[in-house]
Amino acid sequence: MNRSTVATVALALLLVAGMAPFIDMDVWHQMSLFREALRQGWIPYIDRFAYTPTLSPAVQHEWGAGAIAYLAATCFGETGLQLLRLSLVLAIAVVGVRVALERGARVVPLQALAVVAIPMFWITLSLVRAQLYTVLALAMLLACLESDRRGGRRWVLPWLLVWVVWVNLHAGFVVGGLFLAVHAVEQWWRGHRVAHLAAALGAMAVLVAVNPYGPRYYPYLAHALTMNRRLIVEWGPLWSAALPAVVVTLVSMVIALMALGRTGLRQAPGWPLLVLSAAAALQSQRHVSIYALVWFTQVPALISRETLGDLLERVLQRWGTVLWSLLLIAGIIAGVRVRPWDAPVAESVSARQPYAYPVGPIEYLQQLQFEGNLLVPFEMGAYVSWKTDGRVKVSIDSRFEVAYPATLLAEHLDFFYAAPDWHAMLERYPHDLVLVERDMPVGPLMRSQPGWKLVYEDDTFLVFARPGLALPYLDRRGQRIIGSFP
């Protein structure tokens, strides 16, 4: 293989090594909703999975992603999700590389700087996160904006079709509207015509209503965009992420600032999008992948014009085969260790799976044909709804702003982490059972709570039944419990 081929393979392995080897928690509630829609003949407006207060209507902005996940999973199982993720990532990579090359990036600097961009993209590579659709749509939008800078106008109508699809896949489409608006302002600043951009933005605003919820989507957006998400880890600021992620992202920002400083803003079309996405990444880990895409499509082109681009080419011409071979070997080792192709539905939390699925407790409830209300931690409700087909109602799940009032998550955290008034949660809602991870602070307190009885336990979970509910006790400690997908 020549040097460029080795580099491409090494970068592909680096990308694959960052693919999370677990089913994204949101996939379960997305599939549950679409299964219910098939029964009813339409996407339901009223929630049927929770017994705690829910919003009405419950607007699920990821319903389309759920439909795709449902079809992939029910037809092909985990393999279907794996192929779906690979297809989306490949499409993002192809469009991103094309945009970068059109902007003037040389191949060698582009490959070198991809080593910085790829780790920033890892955050969105669980199996399969709906945000991948947003990143792909943004890549397509960036390609449209490149055409617009060259005076093209034929992109507008195809883009509006993409927009309608995006609206039904993920609420990240709001970022696309913001990007186009920022591009229009920049084009006006540069003295170009923007009437067609204003018309496109107007059409996009109207076309948001082309979804199963119709105009109900607009008040939902207002609610979701203004909701406080500080209790959800991935919505925390960049510096709350793991140190390597913080370092890589900050290094990329330093490189971008250097490139913009040497090139000048007038000679760097699209720089407002780079600044905007960098600010969003600093504010929230969730936005780092969006910043990574914008960075990858813009910064290598800027570097390619400067002496740093020449330096990268000289270094890689001399040492490239060795350096890319080392990265290729590292990618193979990381891939074998992470095993992204193997995503077991496991009970135990590990480096490969950040949260546990209550496989054993749900098998226990299914054997009893139990129907009732289960108080659950935030990460587990969607799995319960899917596996029990809604017969077991949950107190919360990861839909968060889609279905629940803002205070409900705080109430759950107070309970499971034993805040001073933790026991108030037991009286506030009609719980039949309480599902607790063993290492949660509330576990020992529930053991001594009057009337509540331990009815199930394994190495990861405990289940307590309310006073007056007679269920048999089952002890599965010492057993390795692995679930199935779907």
Side-chain angles (χ1 to χ4, degrees), residues 198-476:
L201 285 166
M204 288 160 61
V206 173
L207 290 172
V208 169
V210 183
N211 67 82
Y213 307 99
R216 296 179 181 90
Y217 209 123
Y218 295 107
Y220 159 73
L221 276 180
H223 161 72
L225 293 173
T226 57
M227 197 171 188
N228 189 331
R229 303 166 188 265
R230 62 182 178 82
L231 296 177
I232 300 180
V233 174
E234 68 179 20
W235 285 97
L238 175 65
W239 50 86
S240 64
L243 181 60
V246 175
V247 171
V248 170
T249 306
L250 291 179
V251 167
S252 75
M253 291 180 180
V254 170
I255 295 172
L257 286 173
M258 291 173 54
L260 287 174
R262 293 180 63 87
T263 304
L265 299 184
R266 278 286 178 183
Q267 302 304 315
W271 67 265
L273 297 181
L274 182 59
V275 172
L276 177 65
S277 59
L282 289 171
Q283 183 184 36
S284 171
Q285 301 174 42
R286 181 74 178 260
H287 297 137
V288 170
S289 60
I290 293 174
Y291 164 69
L293 172 68
V294 178
W295 189 91
F296 179 71
T297 57
Q298 290 200 17
V299 173
L302 300 177
I303 295 297
S304 293
R305 304 177 195 174
E306 304 299 324
T307 55
L308 180 56
D310 297 331
L311 177 62
L312 287 173
E313 288 204 335
R314 288 196 298 271
V315 169
L316 291 176
Q317 184 174 4
R318 182 172 183 180
W319 300 101
T321 301
V322 173
L323 294 175
W324 290 122
S325 296
L326 290 174
L327 181 61
L328 188 150
I329 293 170
I332 293 174
I333 294 172
V336 170
R337 181 178 63 84
V338 175
R339 302 196 310 278
W341 57 86
D342 177 27
V345 181
E347 275 214 353
S348 57
V349 175
S350 66
R352 301 185 71 242
Q353 181 171 295
Y355 39 80
Y357 288 120
V359 179
I362 297 309
E363 290 178 353
Y364 166 72
L365 296 180
Q366 288 174 322
Q367 289 171 3
L368 297 176
Q369 298 183 335
F370 175 81
E371 295 185 16
N373 301 335
L374 179 63
L375 174 57
V376 294
F378 174 70
E379 298 89 350
M380 301 170 194
Y383 175 84
V384 175
S385 295
W386 170 258
K387 286 295 184 178
T388 66
D389 200 7
R391 292 184 298 275
V392 176
K393 306 297 182 184
V394 298
S395 57
I396 198 169
D397 57 49
S398 55
R399 287 175 296 170
F400 190 51
E401 80 281 358
V402 166
Y404 302 101
T407 56
L408 192 63
L409 178 57
E411 293 174 352
H412 278 73
L413 294 176
D414 285 347
F415 173 78
F416 285 105
Y417 292 94
D421 62 342
W422 68 273
H423 56 278
M425 185 67 166
L426 297 176
E427 303 167 1
R428 193 171 293 139
Y429 305 109
H431 317 293
D432 293 315
L433 301 174
V434 177
L435 175 69
V436 179
E437 287 188 77
R438 277 188 174 275
D439 59 355
M440 286 181 166
V442 79
L445 299 175
M446 283 298 299
R447 288 179 181 273
S448 59
Q449 184 69 11
W452 287 84
K453 180 181 177 182
L454 179 66
V455 296
Y456 173 91
E457 61 181 316
D458 58 34
D459 291 337
T460 305
F461 290 102
L462 308 170
V463 177
F464 297 90
R466 62 169 169 79
L469 180 61
L471 294 180
Y473 170 74
L474 178 62
D475 185 353
R476 294 188 67 182

Side-chain angles (χ1 to χ4, degrees), residues 25-342:
M25 72 172 86
D26 292 340
V27 166
W28 307 100
H29 70 65
Q30 292 167 3
M31 294 194 303
S32 295
L33 178 73
F34 191 69
R35 179 173 60 189
E36 187 66 16
L38 291 177
R39 290 174 181 154
Q40 296 188 19
W42 191 251
I43 304 297
Y45 300 156
I46 306 301
D47 175 78
R48 67 170 293 263
F49 301 112
Y51 61 92
T52 49
T54 55
L55 304 178
S56 181
V59 176
Q60 174 52 282
H61 65 92
E62 297 176 348
W63 80 267
I68 296 172
Y70 178 89
L71 295 174
T74 54
C75 293
F76 305 106
E78 182 191 325
T79 301
L81 285 192
Q82 294 281 10
L83 292 174
L84 175 61
R85 176 169 64 176
L86 284 172
S87 299
L88 290 171
V89 171
L90 178 61
I92 293 167
V94 168
V95 178
V97 168
R98 176 184 172 184
V99 173
L101 293 175
E102 286 183 351
R103 291 179 62 88
R106 287 181 276 168
V107 172
V108 172
L110 183 63
Q111 290 174 329
L113 293 172
V115 177
V116 178
I118 288 174
M120 293 190 290
F121 190 58
W122 284 347
I123 189 173
T124 196
L125 291 183
S126 58
L127 194 65
V128 171
R129 194 185 193 100
Q131 189 170 347
L132 271 175
Y133 296 106
T134 280
V135 179
L136 176 56
L138 283 174
M140 298 169 71
L141 175 59
L142 293 176
C144 292
L145 300 187
E146 281 307 301
S147 175
D148 187 69
R149 292 187 183 101
R150 291 171 169 78
R153 299 293 183 266
R154 294 181 179 179
W155 61 270
V156 176
L157 288 179
W159 166 249
L160 292 178
L161 294 176
V162 172
W163 173 258
V164 171
V165 175
W166 190 5
V167 164
N168 288 277
L169 290 171
H170 189 246
F173 70 84
V174 173
V175 179
L178 182 59
F179 272 29
L180 187 56
V182 170
H183 169 74
V185 171
E186 183 190 4
Q187 290 294 88
W188 172 80
W189 173 64
R190 293 180 182 277
H192 299 296
R193 294 180 179 179
V194 295
H196 66 292
L197 297 176
L201 285 166
M204 288 160 61
V206 173
L207 290 172
V208 169
V210 183
N211 67 82
Y213 307 99
R216 296 179 181 90
Y217 209 123
Y218 295 107
Y220 159 73
L221 276 180
H223 161 72
L225 293 173
T226 57
M227 197 171 188
N228 189 331
R229 303 166 188 265
R230 62 182 178 82
L231 296 177
I232 300 180
V233 174
E234 68 179 20
W235 285 97
L238 175 65
W239 50 86
S240 64
L243 181 60
V246 175
V247 171
V248 170
T249 306
L250 291 179
V251 167
S252 75
M253 291 180 180
V254 170
I255 295 172
L257 286 173
M258 291 173 54
L260 287 174
R262 293 180 63 87
T263 304
L265 299 184
R266 278 286 178 183
Q267 302 304 315
W271 67 265
L273 297 181
L274 182 59
V275 172
L276 177 65
S277 59
L282 289 171
Q283 183 184 36
S284 171
Q285 301 174 42
R286 181 74 178 260
H287 297 137
V288 170
S289 60
I290 293 174
Y291 164 69
L293 172 68
V294 178
W295 189 91
F296 179 71
T297 57
Q298 290 200 17
V299 173
L302 300 177
I303 295 297
S304 293
R305 304 177 195 174
E306 304 299 324
T307 55
L308 180 56
D310 297 331
L311 177 62
L312 287 173
E313 288 204 335
R314 288 196 298 271
V315 169
L316 291 176
Q317 184 174 4
R318 182 172 183 180
W319 300 101
T321 301
V322 173
L323 294 175
W324 290 122
S325 296
L326 290 174
L327 181 61
L328 188 150
I329 293 170
I332 293 174
I333 294 172
V336 170
R337 181 178 63 84
V338 175
R339 302 196 310 278
W341 57 86
D342 177 27

